[in-house]
Amino acid sequence: MNTLHNTSTPPGVGIQESLAGYHHINLLPLKEKIESLSYPKTFALILVTSWLLSSTAKWLTSGKRKKLTVPVFGYRSWFEPTFLLQTRFVTSAKQLVHEAYTKMPNMPFVLKRYDADFLILPIRYLEELRLIPITKLSNKGANVANLVPEYHNITFLLTNNLHVEVLRKKLTPELWKFIDLASTELSHGWDISLPTAELNANGNKWVKIDFERTVRDLVARMTAKVFLGNPACRDQTWLDISVDFSIDLFTASFTMKMFPPWMYPLIAPLIPARRRVLKQLKAAQAIVGEQMAKHDSLKEKRAKAARGEVALTEEEAQDTLLDWMLDHGKGSEVTVEEMSGRQCVLTLASIHTTASQTANMMFDLCAHPQWWDVLREEVDEIAKDLGPPGLVTGRGDGGATIKEWCARLEKLDSFFQETQRREPPILLGPQRLALTPLTLKDGLHIPRGTRVAFPMHEHQNDPLIYPNPHQFDPLRFYRKRHSSPDQLNLHMAGQTHPNVLGFGYGNQACPGRQFAVAEIKLIMARMVYEFEFRFPDEMKGQRPRTGYVNEMGMNDWGLGFW
C-alpha cells in the first residue's frame, strides 16, 4: 500500500544548516482493515433472528423494569422496530446526536445502542454528577462493560483498580522522569518507524507513508519503555501485541454487542478477533512473566544497592510501572495471568487514542498548511535555546529537559486542543454507569444500570460555547491563556474543564492524560522540526474524514469488521 520515494534537501535548506534539510513526506490517510473474513449466510440469518427475538423479549419484559421517563430519540415512526434504530446508531450516531441536540436543546434524551440505552444529559448536569462518588456512578463500569470482559479474560478490570492506581500514584507524580525514558525510546525507534534512511538516499522527493500506523509504532515503543522497560520495549512480539490487542478487542466487543446478551455464549466462539485476543493474552504471559521473574530476582540486590553495598546495571536499575504494580499489588493482582492481561489493557488506553489524536493534528496541519510556518517558528525558537527536540535528553547532563521543551510549546499545545475539540475520540462523554438508583436535584430519576453520557462533540462545537466553532482556529486556546495574567496557567492541554471533555471530567478523568499530552507534543515537535508533510495529489488537499462506529471515532472510514 505504501510506496516510498526519497530525497535529501539541497545544502543550506532547512531549519538549521548544521542539520539535514526538511524531508518531504506525502501523507496517506489510514486505509487499514481490522480484518475481513467471510462467514456463511446462516450467520447473517442468526443476526437478523436475534434482533427480532431480542426486540420481542424486550417488549414482553418492558413492564417488569423501571424505565427512564425521558423520551427516546430517533424513531422514524411509531411502527419502526427498535433494532432499525439501533442499526442506524452504528453508522449514523453523529447525525442522531446532532439532530437530538438541535431539536431538544438542554433536555435529556435516550439513544439506543444494540447492547445498551444511553441517557444523554445536558452539560448543566455535569457538575452535579461530578460530585457523585464512583461507588454510585462509575466510569469504570461504563467503559469496561463496553469490552464485554467476561468473554475476553479481563474481568479483573471490574474487581480491582491497580491499573488505575499505578497511573495516579506512580506515573503522574513522577511524570517527567517517565517522559524522559519515553523520549529515549522515541529516539531509538525514530529511524526504524520512519523512512529516514530511504529519504536521505533518494534525494528530495515525496514519500508516501501511513502516518497513523507510523505514530502507533512510535507510541507503542514509548509506552513499553515506561510500562515494562528493557528488553520488552524492543521485543517485536510485544510491540505487535500491544498494537493488535486493542484492535482485536474492540472488533470482538463490537461484534458481540450486535447481539442480545443471551446469545453471547453462542456467538463468542465464532468471532476470529476474539480468538486472537485470547492468543495475544497467552503470548503476553511469556513476556510479562519473564519481566516479573526478573523483578523478583532483583529485590535483594536492589535493596543492597539502596544501602550502597553493590552497583546495579542500567537495566537492573530501571524503574517501570510494572515494578510498582508488583510491589503494591495483592493476591491475584500479581499473578502472571492477571498482570499480563493488565499490561495489555493498559496499551488499549495509551497507544491508539494517542496515535489517533496525533494523526488528527497532522491531518489538520496538512489541510491548513498556512499553520506550518507558525508551528515551525515556535519549534525553531525553542530549538535555538534548548537544542533540537530529538537531542534533548533531560537526563541531568546539564542540557535542557523535556519538561522545559514541552512547557514552551504553547502554540502547539493550543493546536492540539483545537483538533481535539473538533475531532474528539468519542461523541458521547464522559460516560458513567449508575450502580445504584439516583435522583438528581431537579427530580430526574436514573434507574440502576443506566448508561449516562454527555453530548461532548456537540457541546464543543456549539456556537454558544465557542464562537465560530466550525472554523479551525489553532490559536483559540493560546489567546485565552494570554488574555490576562491570571489565565496563563489555564486552558492547557490535559486540564479538564466543562467545555473541554476529551479526557473526561472530575475525579474520574483520564489518569494518564498528562503523559499522553507530553508524548504527542514530543512527536509532533520533532515531526515539524525535521519533516514537511502534505496529502497525496489524488486527495486534492482534502482531510481524511473521521468516521464513527457507534459513538467511537476513528480516522478515515476505511475499517472493516470481523
Side-chain angles (χ1 to χ4, degrees), residues 1 20 22 26 38 74 91 124 137 172 195 199 226 232 325 332 382 431-432 440 450 453 455 457 461-462 535:
M1 181 178 99
Y22 300 135
N26 208 355
S38 60
T91 59
R124 68 174 186 270
L137 196 63
T172 300
L199 282 164
V226 170
M325 286 187 281
S332 65
I382 302 172
Q431 295 188 12
R432 301 287 186 264
L440 303 185
T450 300
H457 181 273
N461 287 272
D462 189 328
F535 294 131

Side-chain angles (χ1 to χ4, degrees), residues 155-170:
T155 53
F156 61 83
L157 294 174
L158 296 170
T159 59
N160 67 74
N161 285 322
L162 186 61
H163 52 286
V164 176
E165 293 301 303
V166 70
L167 302 179
R168 289 177 175 166
K169 296 181 178 180
K170 182 66 175 178

